[in-house]
């Protein structure tokens, strides 16, 4: 990490100098780094009340969420709760959304999310959904962009470390998933208990294709059984290669300990090139075998506005040795990381994280090599194509530790180099580097709006940096990651803006705001709320005892709850507050919290019903209140619930606005 240290030192002593330079050469056009100049400020300035041009949908990494930023301003607009409970609005805490986080391992309130990917039509972003992977307990989420909420989460069976995910095919026919960590696989669960040292013999990988229905509904259509390597990243083809998808792998050494050394021995690992169309056709004709593969599909029932879970027991698996032509290995130097397909669909670029060059494969040459059976070997029935025959170019001087590439649609590619802390721009014609710019520090992914689609918008690039160090006011040992907005509209890249990001964004998607803005739901129509516990008018509000369970059917409207005085609850009861917000206007949520509740608040959108479960532990009178400042009389929006001892004979009663 030498280069970082050097830059870091440079920055400290040069802060006053940069200020002086900026002052002296104010507006100087020859300066590559415009940040801090009024020109840069102008380019990112979005006036108060104005909208940004792009939504930036970022992965939250270990936050498990999807923070949303406006671009070019870098303003944090919202955070979509996805794989992790969110105490901000009760996602994963309230009864309605808990089922979203069900898995075959039980309820899992956290994950590590890396790759958001927008739905596409004809190879272009269409603004309907964003998909995102969960790495730790393999899952894929679908976020609905009409309400910015998680609409569905599907678990991926026979997989561990769902990293090469969730990349879509050109018409969102499929979303990809693959095993980062290979694991023992056997139809008999007891045979899964094997010594780790039997890796080479027992550990397998799977590459999964998740079908997406017209309404977005996801199902695991099929998995392809592959040798036990680490499958790292993915991208679907486009244009001539649109029936194909590409997955990098490392650890073709099949090491199971100290991978930093043991998985770095081979000169080349592989990109798996998969003809998903052919595999899908075979499956549709009945090919493959159904094997055990317990997994959950959780989805938001739009009618009832609550999440439901279903358990699926099996999954269809294809063995490539029985179905020639569905998968080929492309030898690729040295533990490649990202794999990116240029807008024409012709070039497949591998991130050569341990390689001194950046290899670019040609789809045409791949097809030629397949036709000629130009193989240099075979692994478990998978033909390995001849490297020399498929490589189009090796980009020299593309930086050290190259990871990910995006495209501007004007004939250029941009690659992040982690170790040399820079973004390198190179030509898709000459395969020569034409420009480079320092980033602060150590970029992982980068994002150009539409930069992995058929139609990129080559205006801005966002570098998603892994190391922040001295870029902002320090916040102790833990620092937010840093994103940098770079102008790529000219010949020279220009740094415009730094902004801190929540969690650890890996990848991001930039989606033109006009694809999304007009489809926004502003509130849920009360009339269409078919939640079984909805209370649509104050006159229906009530409290009912059912054994030890007490159900409070409650409404909220500015600025009171109905009912707001409740008696007859006893220690040992389970109390369910079913709160319906009966407002019918944009941006009037009401919150709900009761003292001693063992869970988060509820934040209920207009027209929606949410349920908080409470176990009162001691007698007393417990206040509840609205947590969202909803009106001038928000502080008056409160109530009391009386809790009596377990053996009390106080009957259930409730009221609002009357003395008894
Ligand atoms: Cu490179 Cu998870 Cu896509 Cu991070 S990954 S950087
Ligand atoms: Cu409702 Cu504050």
């Amino acid at each position: 990490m030498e280069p970082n240290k050097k830059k870091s030192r440079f920055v400290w002593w040069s802060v006053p100098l940069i200020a002086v330079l900026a002052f002296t050469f104010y507006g100087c056009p020859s300066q590559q780094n415009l940040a801090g100049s009024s020109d840069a400020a102008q380019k990112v300035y979005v006036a108060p009340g104005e909208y940004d041009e792009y939504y930036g949908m970022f992965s939250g990494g270990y936050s498990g969420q999807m923070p949303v930023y406006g671009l070019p301003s870098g303003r944090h607009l919202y955070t979509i709760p996805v794989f992790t409970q969110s105490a901000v609005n009760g996602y994963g805490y309230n009864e309605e959304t808990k089922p979203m986080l069900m898995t075959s391992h039980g309820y899992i309130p956290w994950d590590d999310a890396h790759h958001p990917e927008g739905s596409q039509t004809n190879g272009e972003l269409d603004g309907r959904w964003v998909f995102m992977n969960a790495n730790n307990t393999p899952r894929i989420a679908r976020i609905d962009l009409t309400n910015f909420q998680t609409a569905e989460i599907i678990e991926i069976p026979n997989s561990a470390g769902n990293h090469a995910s969730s990349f879509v095919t050109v018409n969102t026919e499929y979303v990809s998933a693959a095993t980062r960590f290979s694991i023992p696989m056997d139809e008999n669960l007891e045979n899964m208990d094997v010594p780790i040292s039997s890796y080479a013999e027992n550990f397998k990988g799977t590459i999964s294709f998740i079908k997406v229905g017209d309404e977005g509904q996801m199902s695991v259509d099929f998995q392809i059984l592959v040798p036990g390597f680490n499958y790292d990243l993915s991208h679907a083809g486009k244009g001539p290669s649109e029936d194909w998808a590409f997955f990098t792998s490392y650890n073709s050494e099949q090491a199971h300990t100290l991978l930093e050394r043991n998985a770095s021995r081979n000169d080349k690992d592989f990109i798996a090139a998969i003809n998903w169309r052919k595999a899908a056709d075979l499956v549709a004709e009945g090919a493959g075998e159904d094997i055990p593969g317990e997994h959950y599909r959780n989805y938001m029932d739009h009618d009832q506005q609550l999440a439901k879970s279903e358990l699926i027991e099996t999954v269809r698996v294809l063995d490539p040795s029985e179905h020639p032509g569905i998968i080929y290995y492309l030898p690729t130097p040295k533990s490649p990381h990202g794999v990116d397909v240029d807008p024409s669909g012709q070039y497949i670029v591998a991130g050569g994280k341990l390689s001194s060059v950046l290899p670019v494969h040609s789809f045409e040459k791949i097809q030629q090599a397949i036709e000629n059976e130009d193989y240099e070997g075979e692994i478990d029935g998978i033909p390995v194509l001849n490297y020399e025959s498929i490589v189009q170019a090796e980009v020299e001087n593309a930086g050290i530790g190259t990871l990910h590439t995006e495209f501007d649609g004007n004939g250029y590619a941009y690659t992040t180099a982690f170790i040399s802390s820079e973004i390198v721009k190179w030509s898709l014609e000459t395969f020569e580097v034409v420009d480079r710019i320092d980033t602060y520090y150590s970029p992982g992914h980068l994002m150009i709006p539409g930069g992995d689609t058929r139609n990129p918008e080559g205006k801005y690039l966002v570098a998603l940096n892994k190391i922040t160090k001295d870029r902002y006011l320090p916040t102790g040992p833990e620092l937010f990651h840093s994103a940098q907005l770079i102008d790529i509209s000219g010949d020279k890249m220009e740094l415009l803006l730094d902004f801190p990001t929540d969690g650890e964004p890996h990848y991001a998607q930039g989606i033109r705001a006009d694809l999304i803005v007009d489809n926004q739901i502003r509130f849920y129509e009360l009339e269409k709320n078919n939640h079984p516990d909805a209370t649509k008018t104050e006159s229906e509000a009530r409290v009912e005892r059912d054994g030890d369970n007490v159900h409070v059917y409650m409404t909220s409207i500015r600025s009171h709850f109905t009912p707001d005085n409740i008696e007859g609850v006893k220690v040992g009861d389970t109390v369910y507050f079913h709160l319906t917000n009966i407002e019918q206007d944009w941006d009037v949520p009401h919150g709900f919290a009761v003292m001693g509740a063992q869970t988060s608040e509820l934040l209920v959108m207009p027209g929606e019903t949410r349920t908080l479960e409470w176990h009162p532990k001691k007698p007393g009178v417990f206040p509840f209140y609205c947590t969202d400042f909803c009106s001038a009389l928000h502080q008056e929006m409160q109530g009391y619930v009386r809790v009596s001892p377990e053996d009390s004979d106080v009957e259930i009663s409730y009221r609002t606005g009357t003395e008894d």
Side-chain angles (χ1 to χ4, degrees):
M1 218 100 344
E2 247 339 274
N4 285 345
K5 276 209 204 119
K6 240 167 41 205
K7 266 178 202 145
S8 179
R9 245 179 272 132
F10 171 82
V11 166
W12 279 119
W13 64 254
S14 63
V15 167
L17 181 68
I18 284 173
V20 170
L21 284 175
F23 185 74
T24 314
F25 302 112
Y26 168 77
C28 172
S30 65
Q31 247 185 293
Q32 189 189 37
N33 182 343
L34 286 188
S37 77
S38 70
D39 195 18
Q42 198 107 56
K43 285 181 175 173
V44 302
Y45 183 66
V46 178
E50 299 281 311
Y51 287 168
D52 277 285
E53 190 178 351
Y54 296 98
Y55 283 98
M57 321 291 297
F58 287 51
S59 72
Y62 42 66
S63 85
Q65 315 293 41
M66 185 183 286
V68 181
Y69 298 86
L71 299 174
S73 72
R75 297 187 293 200
H76 183 188
L77 303 176
Y78 184 58
T79 297
I80 305 171
V82 185
F83 296 114
T84 299
Q85 287 177 307
S86 170
V88 167
N89 61 13
Y91 176 87
Y93 287 101
N94 60 47
E95 299 307 297
E96 284 75 10
T97 53
K98 272 185 194 168
M100 289 305 276
L101 303 177
M102 265 310 291
T103 74
S104 61
H105 305 268
Y107 172 81
I108 306 271
W110 172 88
D111 219 299
D112 178 18
H114 285 224
H115 306 118
E117 174 102 329
S119 56
Q120 296 183 16
T121 302
N122 199 16
E124 295 186 33
L125 293 168
D126 60 26
R128 287 181 295 167
W129 312 302
V130 177
F131 300 89
M132 187 163 71
N133 66 319
N135 194 44
N136 185 49
T137 303
R139 285 171 284 175
I140 291 176
R142 178 173 55 88
I143 287 98
D144 183 343
L145 291 181
T146 65
N147 64 358
F148 281 65
Q149 297 297 304
T150 302
E152 185 174 357
I153 294 179
I154 192 164
E155 193 179 0
I156 314 298
N158 303 326
S159 185
N162 178 38
H163 191 256
S165 182
S166 47
F167 299 95
V168 306
T169 55
V170 286
N171 285 301
T172 321
E173 297 95 336
Y174 285 97
V175 179
S176 65
T179 318
R180 172 168 163 210
F181 311 110
S182 285
I183 44 169
M185 268 188 66
D186 198 285
E187 298 198 8
N188 185 344
L189 275 188
E190 276 156 34
N191 295 345
M192 304 272 276
D193 170 23
V194 298
I196 298 168
S197 59
S198 71
Y199 187 108
E201 179 190 333
N202 287 322
F203 288 43
K204 285 259 173 257
T206 56
I207 292 178
S208 307
F209 286 85
I210 291 76
K211 195 175 200 149
V212 182
D214 289 344
E215 300 297 309
Q217 186 193 345
M218 296 187 285
S219 56
V220 182
D221 196 31
F222 61 92
Q223 304 190 304
I224 298 175
L225 212 54
V226 284
F229 307 156
N230 290 46
Y231 294 85
D232 201 10
L233 272 153
S234 159
H235 260 104
K238 42 178 94 83
S241 58
E242 69 178 38
D243 292 348
W244 293 72
F246 305 92
F247 295 79
T248 44
S249 69
Y250 59 102
N251 195 23
S252 55
E253 297 85 350
Q254 303 202 297
H256 52 81
T257 181
L258 200 60
L259 265 66
E260 73 172 312
R261 188 179 72 214
N262 295 334
S264 304
R265 293 205 164 116
N266 291 350
D267 271 352
K268 295 196 176 65
D269 297 272
F270 304 104
I271 289 175
I274 294 180
N275 187 334
W276 62 262
R277 178 87 65 187
K278 184 165 187 168
D281 289 348
L282 284 167
V283 167
E285 289 160 13
E289 191 193 343
D290 287 330
I291 67 162
E294 270 199 352
H295 62 286
Y296 272 84
R297 182 177 91 89
N298 311 312
Y299 63 97
M300 191 51 78
D301 180 320
H302 287 294
D303 186 45
Q304 303 194 329
Q305 283 294 331
L306 54 87
K308 296 183 173 168
S309 293
E310 61 186 39
L311 177 64
I312 300 145
E313 311 260 355
T314 61
V315 62
R316 178 66 57 95
V317 170
L318 289 176
D319 181 340
S321 62
E322 292 166 15
H323 302 285
I326 61 172
I327 174 170
Y328 298 88
Y329 275 146
L330 320 179
T332 302
K334 186 136 189 121
S335 302
H337 183 55
V339 55
D340 299 282
V341 183
D342 87 305
S344 77
Q346 193 52 248
Y347 298 123
I348 295 109
V349 183
K353 73 183 187 236
L354 301 178
S355 158
S356 57
V357 294
L358 189 66
V360 181
H361 296 304
S362 150
F363 184 70
E364 209 179 298
K365 292 183 176 206
I366 292 167
Q367 293 307 296
Q368 202 64 54
I370 291 172
E371 204 172 300
N372 300 341
E373 300 194 6
D374 188 357
Y375 304 153
E376 60 177 54
E378 194 188 280
I379 301 173
D380 291 5
I382 301 171
V384 180
L385 303 183
N386 198 334
Y387 178 72
E388 299 304 330
S389 307
I390 59 171
V391 74
Q392 175 77 31
E394 293 180 331
V395 181
E396 310 245 1
N397 237 332
I400 306 166
T402 50
L403 294 181
H404 298 283
T405 300
E406 293 255 295
F407 306 90
D408 66 3
N410 300 315
Y412 295 99
Y414 301 75
T415 299
T416 51
F418 180 87
I419 297 171
S420 53
S421 253
E422 58 184 334
I423 287 172
V424 176
K425 175 180 177 182
W426 49 276
S427 161
L428 285 161
E429 231 166 76
T430 64
F431 301 98
E432 279 168 4
V433 171
V434 298
D435 191 25
R436 56 208 314 143
I437 189 169
D438 288 339
T439 63
Y440 305 88
Y441 306 93
S442 294
H445 278 269
L446 73 175
M447 178 273 275
I448 293 171
D452 68 339
T453 71
R454 222 169 47 82
N455 190 17
E457 304 197 19
K459 194 167 174 183
Y460 302 111
L461 178 157
V462 179
L464 297 157
N465 299 306
K466 294 298 181 193
I467 293 165
T468 306
K469 297 210 169 165
D470 51 20
R471 297 302 285 182
Y472 309 109
L473 287 173
T475 52
E478 187 182 347
L479 306 166
F480 271 10
H481 283 65
S482 177
Q484 293 189 294
L485 187 81
I486 293 167
D487 182 346
I488 56 166
S489 60
D491 288 344
K492 288 285 211 190
M493 291 182 275
E494 294 170 352
L495 176 60
L496 300 179
L497 179 75
D498 276 24
F499 60 99
T501 52
D502 211 344
E504 186 196 354
H506 288 260
Y507 194 36
Q509 290 276 284
I511 307 181
R512 242 178 34 238
D514 61 31
L515 286 173
I516 295 177
V517 169
D518 293 340
N519 304 329
Q520 290 307 290
I521 291 173
R522 301 192 161 186
F523 57 86
Y524 300 104
E525 285 174 59
L526 201 51
E527 236 171 69
K528 293 189 182 158
N529 176 342
N530 288 321
H531 190 297
D533 299 316
T535 310
K536 298 194 192 184
T537 61
E538 291 190 351
S539 60
E540 291 166 64
R542 66 203 184 276
V543 182
E544 290 171 359
R545 173 176 287 286
D546 172 16
D548 290 341
N549 294 330
V550 176
H551 292 272
V552 180
Y553 299 93
M554 186 183 260
T555 62
S556 60
I557 195 163
R558 280 161 289 182
S559 298
H560 61 274
F561 294 103
T562 307
D564 69 1
N565 280 205
I566 299 165
E567 301 192 16
V569 170
K570 294 186 236 175
V571 172
D573 284 344
T574 300
V575 183
Y576 295 94
F577 293 96
H578 308 286
L579 176 62
T580 303
N581 178 351
I582 59 175
E583 305 270 1
Q584 291 287 268
D585 198 359
W586 194 21
D587 199 15
V588 197
H590 292 288
F592 178 85
V594 58
M595 189 169 91
Q598 297 85 6
T599 184
S600 84
E601 63 154 356
L602 302 173
L603 188 69
V604 190
M605 298 304 124
E608 191 178 61
T609 304
R610 289 286 177 261
T611 300
L612 182 143
E613 181 185 322
W614 179 43
H615 300 268
K617 297 272 199 271
K618 40 188 176 185
V621 175
F622 294 79
F624 56 84
Y625 71 103
C626 170
T627 50
D628 184 307
F629 208 108
C630 50
S631 75
L633 296 174
H634 153 82
Q635 287 299 82
E636 281 73 10
M637 193 162 177
Q638 63 158 65
Y640 288 109
V641 51
R642 173 181 167 193
V643 177
S644 304
E646 210 160 350
D647 56 1
S648 129
D649 48 17
V650 177
E651 292 290 318
I652 290 285
S653 68
Y654 53 93
R655 61 212 145 258
T656 307
T658 56
E659 288 306 310
D660 47 39

